[in-house]
Amino acid sequence: MTFTITRFVSLGLSARTSKASLRFFPPASASPRCINIHPLSRPIRTPPTRRLYSTATVGTAKTFGSAVAVAVIAGGASLFFALARSRDTAPPNPTAEAVVEVIPTPPQTGSEPTHNFAKALEDLQAEFPESSIVSTDPGELYAYAQSAYSQFVGLPHTIVVHVRSTEDVVKVVKIANKYLVPIVPYSGGTSLEGNLSAPPSGSICVDLSALDKIIAIHESDADVVCQAGVTWNDLNETLREKGIPLFFPLDPGRNATIGGMISTGCSGTNAVKYGTARGEWILNATVVLPSGEVIKTRQRARKSSVGFDVTKLFIGAEGTLGIITEATLRLAPVLPSTVAVAQFPDIRHATDAVCDIIDELTIKALNQFGTSARKWPEKVTLFFKFQGSDDVIQETSRHVESAVAKHGATDYQLASNKQESEDIWQDRRNALFACLAYRPGCQGWITDVCVPVSRLPDLISAAKKDFEELGLVAPIAGHVGDGNFHALVLYADDAELALVREAVSRINHKAIELEGTCTGEHGVGTGKRNYLLTELGEGTVALMRTIKQTLDPHNLFNPGKVCSSSVN
């Protein structure tokens, strides 16, 4: 099954609009895997229309923080693309079109409890009598099992419940426990590793996207309380509109929701300076446990040494241990910022300078893409972000220019004004789309690995050698400052796809060999699950499974994801 990739950047989209974009994913025909217990004559809930990105649109990059050089990338986790079915009637943009194959998640075997979906549906419809809440429409069952960015096609759910509150989630969880029905949470649909798929037995999808309210802003404490369906960009836009000089610095990509960001342990282009979701940006979380009990992981204080750090137990758990419905987030001050670029003779010189990178192939694709007003030198390029007062930015820039020159950098350029800064940043945003369009009709596989910064030159060099040996075209971009890099491996047919899988496997194993990880920011889902034993060892994975078994003895919460040894 293939989907056309259409360039997509949309300013100010709500979480519901982001979620609703998946209306483009209904199967071409009724899937035999889709358990349609109660078919209706019309869809219960029709998501609104998505907005498509135009190459003429220039989004303003948000940049914040104190005066340091922040490593950022072109084509990494902050860039988004939308999937539309290749047989859609709307004419595609020929310069933007590429296709990415979505790989079905293979069913797994194991002991299966008895699931009574028919009874669960009856109870859900009695508990939520409004017709817009509980859905068994085949299009929705399929759509809510997919991500707009994943290489994996999800199995459809059996029931979708559009919850509106923590209390609604509790009701669904108790019914699921009563009838031993698996639950898969959904909020923004932007994950990459098959996180949203139903298990082979079917499941209830808990759609959290309507939990999109900012509950309280505490400006004097520099924190905010919000629901799980709030997107980070909507949150920051709200703070800006209210004249509050604070922002939430985690930026994995537009329209990622707070619940999903926490659940996947997100990162983003600001990670070098501000860290990731596993830092202290998540002060607490309200979580519905598999038992139906609701807990708040800690109070709102900036720090606490009380017992276990329970909040972090749910960061990166991908909904396998509990469903996050609210969170208190720490905010950072907004400061002026600008960007700079420099070119290097090769990858090793650039990565030794420890900044953010796109390789010469990506630059070539950008030039060919035709959206930039400038013609970039086709060399390995680093993008910098500087933040602080004008004087501090100038001083920092001078230090950076001097430092990168020692590693062979040329053509160092600091943006001279805000417009130039935004134009450079727009080119960075377009890098992923440019790479996808580099080979018309191509397909692509997005990678994500991370190693200690000092080992990144070795990893990228090994990856490029593998791509050359296997005859693959794979533009590379990386958050070099924190050791994270991505490659978009392009292929034209099944023979090349087999080579892509081999290349991706080599990269993952090489990253682990270099004391790194198979995923720096995309999460595990089903796509990276098979690497956990190699990376963490049997003891650590066994401990993770023990925690899972203790909290979720019936294996009902997002089964088959992360460390699960079997699927319901």
Side-chain angles (χ1 to χ4, degrees):
M1 183 180 299
T2 59
F3 296 88
T4 299
I5 296 179
T6 309
R7 284 171 293 148
F8 171 156
V9 170
S10 167
L11 298 179
L13 286 179
S14 67
R16 187 169 301 176
T17 305
S18 174
K19 174 271 299 179
S21 65
L22 293 182
R23 69 188 292 270
F24 291 97
F25 284 91
S29 60
S31 169
R33 299 174 295 181
C34 178
I35 307 173
N36 187 18
I37 297 174
H38 187 62
L40 302 177
S41 59
R42 59 182 175 83
I44 290 178
R45 181 186 178 102
T46 302
T49 304
R50 84 176 345 144
R51 287 190 240 163
L52 293 180
Y53 170 74
S54 166
T55 57
T57 301
V58 177
T60 302
K62 283 185 173 292
T63 47
F64 309 93
S66 61
V68 296
V70 179
V72 296
I73 73 161
S78 69
L79 297 178
F80 281 72
F81 54 90
L83 295 176
R85 286 171 59 194
S86 58
R87 65 185 185 92
D88 284 350
T89 57
N93 183 332
T95 64
E97 185 175 346
V99 295
V100 58
E101 184 175 44
V102 284
I103 310 301
T105 304
Q108 300 189 17
T109 59
S111 58
E112 299 183 1
T114 301
H115 310 300
N116 195 332
F117 284 100
K119 286 291 187 181
L121 178 61
E122 289 178 7
D123 282 14
L124 287 168
Q125 290 175 330
E127 191 68 60
F128 304 101
E130 302 95 325
S131 61
S132 62
I133 303 300
V134 180
S135 175
T136 56
D137 174 72
E140 287 200 51
L141 301 181
Y142 184 81
Y144 284 87
Q146 315 306 321
S147 166
Y149 317 117
S150 180
Q151 287 125 190
F152 304 90
V153 63
L155 300 178
H157 302 293
T158 311
I159 305 167
V160 175
V161 183
H162 304 287
V163 296
R164 300 156 297 182
S165 65
T166 299
E167 292 70 27
D168 283 356
V169 176
V170 171
K171 293 174 183 177
V172 176
V173 169
K174 288 184 175 179
I175 291 172
N177 268 289
K178 182 178 180 180
Y179 298 109
L180 294 178
V181 174
I183 288 180
V184 178
Y186 178 103
S187 56
T190 61
S191 57
L192 283 156
E193 294 295 343
N195 315 72
L196 303 174
S197 176
S201 64
S203 59
I204 299 173
C205 174
V206 178
D207 171 26
L208 301 159
S209 61
L211 276 66
D212 57 359
K213 308 213 172 25
I214 298 173
I215 298 169
I217 300 172
H218 305 112
E219 183 175 357
S220 58
D221 297 326
D223 69 46
V224 60
V225 183
C226 63
Q227 293 181 312
V230 173
T231 67
W232 69 267
N233 42 284
D234 280 349
L235 171 60
N236 285 339
E237 185 63 22
T238 298
L239 293 169
R240 187 192 66 79
E241 290 174 353
K242 291 181 176 295
I244 299 173
L246 299 169
F247 81 115
F248 186 56
L250 304 186
D251 62 338
R254 296 196 67 83
N255 302 312
T257 62
I258 298 302
M261 291 164 65
I262 295 172
S263 295
T264 55
C266 80
S267 182
T269 62
N270 287 330
V272 172
K273 175 175 173 55
Y274 294 106
T276 74
R278 297 182 189 273
E280 293 298 319
W281 296 105
I282 317 300
L283 296 180
N284 65 46
T286 298
V287 184
V288 180
L289 299 178
S291 64
E293 180 184 358
V294 179
I295 66 167
K296 187 175 181 177
T297 56
R298 55 173 270 195
Q299 297 279 47
R300 197 165 57 85
R302 273 297 178 97
K303 63 181 182 179
S304 173
S305 59
V306 174
F308 302 137
D309 191 343
V310 178
T311 305
K312 285 191 173 63
L313 184 64
F314 299 96
I315 298 176
E318 300 180 23
T320 60
L321 303 180
I323 298 174
I324 297 167
T325 59
E326 294 179 11
T328 302
L329 312 174
R330 185 161 65 94
L331 302 175
V334 174
L335 292 175
S337 60
T338 190
V339 301
V341 292
Q343 281 77 44
F344 290 79
D346 55 45
I347 284 285
R348 184 166 290 275
H349 281 85
T351 51
D352 284 343
V354 190
C355 298
D356 254 59
I357 187 173
I358 57 177
D359 69 358
E360 65 275 19
L361 181 55
T362 305
I363 291 293
K364 182 177 181 180
L366 263 175
N367 287 335
Q368 180 177 302
F369 197 45
T371 58
S372 177
R374 69 181 66 213
K375 187 75 171 179
W376 291 95
E378 293 184 2
K379 300 178 181 179
V380 178
T381 300
L382 294 186
F383 284 69
F384 303 85
K385 185 189 293 184
F386 301 120
Q387 300 170 338
S389 67
D390 288 343
D391 289 343
V392 173
I393 285 176
Q394 292 297 328
E395 182 180 357
T396 304
S397 177
R398 286 194 294 270
H399 284 299
V400 170
E401 183 176 11
S402 174
V404 298
K406 298 175 183 177
H407 296 279
T410 59
D411 303 317
Y412 178 86
Q413 178 187 357
L414 177 69
S416 58
N417 54 53
K418 183 177 180 180
Q419 186 58 55
E420 185 177 16
S421 176
E422 291 176 353
D423 289 344
I424 291 173
W425 217 244
Q426 187 62 31
D427 286 348
R428 178 195 66 82
R429 289 192 188 101
N430 283 338
L432 177 59
F433 311 124
C435 292
L436 288 168
Y438 183 66
R439 294 176 67 189
C442 72
Q443 299 173 313
W445 189 298
I446 303 172
T447 67
D448 163 47
V449 289
C450 187
V451 293
V453 175
S454 63
R455 311 305 298 272
L456 190 61
D458 298 328
L459 178 61
I460 294 181
S461 296
K464 290 180 79 71
K465 181 179 178 181
D466 287 337
F467 295 145
E468 183 178 355
E469 176 186 317
L470 295 171
L472 297 171
V473 176
I476 286 177
H479 307 284
V480 184
D482 60 8
N484 189 196
F485 98 89
H486 309 281
L488 178 66
V489 193
L490 304 174
Y491 59 97
D493 52 36
D494 288 343
E496 286 190 350
L497 174 58
L499 297 176
V500 169
R501 288 175 172 149
E502 171 63 22
V504 170
S505 177
R506 290 186 192 182
I507 291 171
N508 286 320
H509 285 293
K510 184 64 175 180
I512 295 170
E513 177 188 324
L514 295 173
E515 300 180 271
T517 176
C518 64
T519 174
E521 57 189 11
H522 293 170
V524 177
T526 57
K528 295 294 180 75
R529 187 181 58 195
N530 291 338
Y531 298 102
L532 257 63
L533 277 174
T534 304
E535 179 175 328
L536 301 177
E538 292 185 5
T540 300
V541 174
L543 177 59
M544 293 168 66
R545 288 174 177 166
T546 298
I547 295 170
K548 167 70 171 174
Q549 174 67 22
T550 301
L551 290 178
D552 186 15
H554 298 299
N555 193 26
L556 297 182
F557 271 34
N558 214 4
K561 316 295 170 47
V562 192
C563 63
S564 298
S565 57
S566 62
V567 184
N568 279 341

